[in-house]
Coordinates of all heavy atoms in Angstrom, one line a residue:
A34 N -9.4 -57.2 -0.9 CA -9.1 -56.4 0.3 C -7.8 -56.7 0.9 O -7.0 -55.7 1.3 CB -10.3 -56.6 1.3
V35 N -7.4 -57.9 1.0 CA -6.2 -58.3 1.6 C -5.0 -57.8 0.8 O -4.0 -57.3 1.2 CB -6.1 -59.8 1.8 CG1 -4.6 -60.2 2.2 CG2 -7.0 -60.3 2.9
A36 N -5.1 -58.0 -0.6 CA -4.0 -57.6 -1.5 C -3.8 -56.1 -1.5 O -2.7 -55.6 -1.4 CB -4.4 -58.1 -2.9
T37 N -4.9 -55.4 -1.5 CA -4.8 -53.9 -1.5 C -4.2 -53.4 -0.2 O -3.4 -52.5 -0.1 CB -6.2 -53.3 -1.7 OG1 -6.7 -53.8 -3.0 CG2 -6.1 -51.8 -1.8
A38 N -4.7 -53.9 1.0 CA -4.2 -53.5 2.3 C -2.7 -53.7 2.5 O -2.0 -52.9 3.1 CB -5.0 -54.1 3.4
S39 N -2.2 -54.8 1.9 CA -0.8 -55.1 2.1 C 0.0 -54.7 0.9 O 1.2 -55.2 0.8 CB -0.7 -56.7 2.3 OG -1.2 -57.4 1.2
A40 N -0.5 -53.9 0.0 CA 0.2 -53.6 -1.3 C 1.5 -53.0 -1.1 O 2.5 -53.4 -1.7 CB -0.7 -52.7 -2.2
A41 N 1.6 -51.9 -0.3 CA 2.8 -51.2 -0.1 C 4.0 -52.1 0.4 O 5.0 -52.1 -0.1 CB 2.6 -50.0 0.8
P42 N 3.8 -52.8 1.6 CA 4.8 -53.6 2.0 C 5.2 -54.7 1.1 O 6.4 -55.0 0.9 CB 4.2 -54.2 3.3 CG 3.2 -53.3 3.7 CD 2.6 -52.8 2.5
A43 N 4.2 -55.3 0.4 CA 4.5 -56.4 -0.5 C 5.3 -55.9 -1.7 O 6.3 -56.5 -2.1 CB 3.2 -57.1 -1.0
L44 N 4.9 -54.8 -2.3 CA 5.7 -54.3 -3.5 C 7.0 -53.7 -3.1 O 7.9 -53.7 -3.8 CB 4.8 -53.3 -4.2 CG 3.5 -53.8 -4.8 CD1 2.7 -52.7 -5.4 CD2 3.8 -54.9 -5.8
A45 N 7.1 -53.2 -1.8 CA 8.4 -52.6 -1.4 C 9.4 -53.7 -1.3 O 10.6 -53.4 -1.4 CB 8.2 -51.9 -0.1
E46 N 9.0 -54.9 -0.9 CA 10.0 -56.0 -0.8 C 10.5 -56.4 -2.1 O 11.6 -57.1 -2.2 CB 9.3 -57.2 -0.1 CG 8.9 -56.9 1.4 CD 8.1 -58.0 2.0 OE1 7.8 -59.0 1.3 OE2 7.7 -57.9 3.1
C149 N 1.8 -50.9 -11.4 CA 2.1 -51.1 -10.0 C 2.1 -52.5 -9.6 O 2.8 -52.9 -8.6 CB 1.0 -50.3 -9.2 SG -0.7 -51.1 -9.3
G150 N 1.4 -53.4 -10.3 CA 1.4 -54.8 -10.0 C 0.3 -55.3 -9.2 O 0.2 -56.5 -8.9
L151 N -0.6 -54.4 -8.7 CA -1.7 -54.9 -7.9 C -2.6 -55.9 -8.7 O -3.1 -56.9 -8.1 CB -2.6 -53.7 -7.5 CG -2.2 -53.1 -6.2 CD1 -3.2 -51.9 -5.9 CD2 -2.3 -54.0 -5.0
S154 N -1.1 -59.3 -8.6 CA -1.1 -59.9 -7.3 C -2.4 -60.6 -7.0 O -2.5 -61.4 -6.1 CB -0.8 -58.9 -6.2 OG -1.8 -57.9 -6.0
A185 N -9.2 -54.4 -8.1 CA -8.0 -54.1 -7.3 C -7.3 -52.8 -7.7 O -6.6 -52.2 -6.9 CB -7.0 -55.3 -7.3
E256 N 4.5 -44.5 -3.5 CA 3.1 -45.0 -3.5 C 3.1 -46.5 -3.9 O 3.8 -46.9 -4.9 CB 2.3 -44.2 -4.5 CG 1.7 -42.9 -4.0 CD 2.8 -41.8 -3.9 OE1 3.9 -42.1 -4.4 OE2 2.5 -40.8 -3.3
L257 N 2.4 -47.3 -3.1 CA 2.3 -48.8 -3.4 C 3.7 -49.4 -3.4 O 3.9 -50.4 -4.2 CB 1.5 -49.1 -4.7 CG 0.1 -48.7 -4.6 CD1 -0.6 -48.9 -6.0 CD2 -0.7 -49.4 -3.5
G258 N 4.7 -48.9 -2.7 CA 6.0 -49.4 -2.6 C 6.8 -49.0 -3.8 O 8.0 -49.5 -4.0
G259 N 6.3 -48.2 -4.7 CA 7.0 -47.8 -5.9 C 6.4 -48.3 -7.1 O 6.4 -49.5 -7.3
V278 N -3.1 -43.6 -2.2 CA -2.9 -45.1 -1.9 C -1.8 -45.2 -0.9 O -1.0 -44.3 -0.6 CB -2.4 -45.8 -3.2 CG1 -3.6 -45.8 -4.2 CG2 -1.2 -45.1 -3.9
P279 N -1.6 -46.4 -0.3 CA -0.6 -46.6 0.7 C 0.8 -46.4 0.1 O 1.1 -46.6 -1.0 CB -0.7 -48.1 1.1 CG -2.1 -48.5 0.7 CD -2.5 -47.6 -0.5
K280 N 1.7 -45.9 1.0 CA 3.1 -45.6 0.6 C 4.0 -46.6 1.3 O 3.7 -47.3 2.2 CB 3.5 -44.2 1.0 CG 2.8 -43.1 0.3 CD 3.4 -41.7 0.6 CE 2.7 -40.6 -0.2 NZ 3.3 -39.3 0.2
N281 N 5.2 -46.7 0.7 CA 6.2 -47.6 1.3 C 6.6 -47.2 2.7 O 6.8 -46.0 3.0 CB 7.5 -47.5 0.4 CG 8.6 -48.4 0.9 OD1 8.4 -49.2 1.8 ND2 9.8 -48.2 0.3

Side-chain angles (χ1 to χ4, degrees):
V35 171
T37 304
S39 61
L44 295 178
E46 292 172 2
C149 69
L151 270 179
S154 72
E256 280 75 8
L257 295 175
V278 293
K280 292 185 177 182
N281 181 9

